[in-house]
Amino acid sequence: MNLTEPQHPLLAIVRGTDADAALKTVLTLADEDITAIEVSLTTANALKVIERARDALGAHVLLGAGTVITPDDAARAADAGAGFLVTPGLLDAPLPDLPVVMGAFTPTEIITARDRGARAVKLFPSSLSGPGYLRALRQPFPDVPFVPVGGIDLADARAYLAAGALAVGVGSPLIGDAADGGDLDALRLRARTWHCALTDEVTR
């Protein structure tokens, strides 16, 4: 499976205070056919969550580590079984041989991210711009895979995909309190709603 394939329009971002709940959240998302999942390294015992999720899910789910800030973060995430890395901003350091979704916002940062080997650009924080900004960026950067992240609800997500985003990264509007020990049944319902809506968007 390829991080930049369009059949993964939703990148679920799991961030929580309870490691067991975070693992259950990842497994629940995968069970509901959400197959691109990022576990933020700010999650309690995040590396163990990634390791256990990878053992449980095998290779059919794209499982990555987010909030990667240092080379040590990247190396430890790779050792835990992360299949890709997501950074909140530009990272200029030797990284493991994994796809990197690098955070950027301005055109200069986007150029820098690509020069540093980013497989895709995390447009962050997208709440400061909106789909119109992405549409404008697609003019000078038609070949850059963009993944907007930050404050995206379902209506925003569909608008970003229509504007040319490869995928959208979504945290709390999708995850809710599940990764803190909250309601997994409610998570299932949200996951089904998001999956159906965004799959429909990219197949139009």
Side-chain angles (χ1 to χ4, degrees):
M1 299 175 74
N2 190 322
L3 182 65
T4 56
E5 290 176 351
Q7 70 260 39
H8 310 296
L10 176 58
L11 173 61
I13 302 171
V14 176
R15 178 183 292 107
T17 57
D18 183 317
D20 287 336
L23 176 62
K24 291 176 183 176
T25 297
V26 172
L27 299 181
T28 299
L29 291 167
D31 193 48
E32 294 300 330
D33 293 324
I34 294 176
T35 55
I37 303 170
E38 166 194 336
V39 177
S40 170
L41 294 185
T42 60
T43 296
N45 210 359
L47 296 174
K48 182 58 70 174
V49 172
I50 293 170
E51 182 180 325
R52 293 172 65 191
R54 172 57 68 215
D55 287 344
L57 296 172
H60 79 284
V61 170
L62 293 171
L63 180 65
T67 324
V68 173
I69 296 175
T70 68
D72 184 58
D73 288 341
R76 291 185 298 122
D79 288 344
F84 63 93
L85 306 173
V86 183
T87 74
L90 297 173
L91 197 58
D92 184 17
L95 297 174
D97 187 21
L98 292 175
V100 178
V101 182
M102 194 171 291
F105 189 76
T106 67
T108 299
E109 291 173 345
I110 292 164
I111 292 169
T112 302
R114 292 308 303 272
D115 287 346
R116 294 180 182 176
R119 184 73 59 86
V121 169
K122 172 182 173 178
L123 190 62
F124 178 78
S126 63
S127 57
L128 297 181
S129 55
Y133 182 57
L134 173 61
R135 194 172 289 109
L137 288 173
R138 296 281 296 159
Q139 297 300 313
F141 300 111
D143 299 324
V144 173
F146 286 101
V147 182
V149 178
I152 296 176
D153 62 19
L154 187 53
D156 292 332
R158 299 187 73 159
Y160 276 115
L161 292 174
L166 169 72
V168 290
V170 181
S172 56
L174 169 63
I175 306 304
D177 63 356
D180 297 317
D183 191 341
L184 289 176
D185 288 335
L187 172 64
R188 285 188 182 279
L189 291 175
R190 289 191 299 274
R192 290 171 191 172
T193 298
W194 279 81
H195 176 71
C196 290
L198 298 193
T199 300
D200 176 66
E201 184 66 39
V202 298
T203 55
R204 287 185 176 186

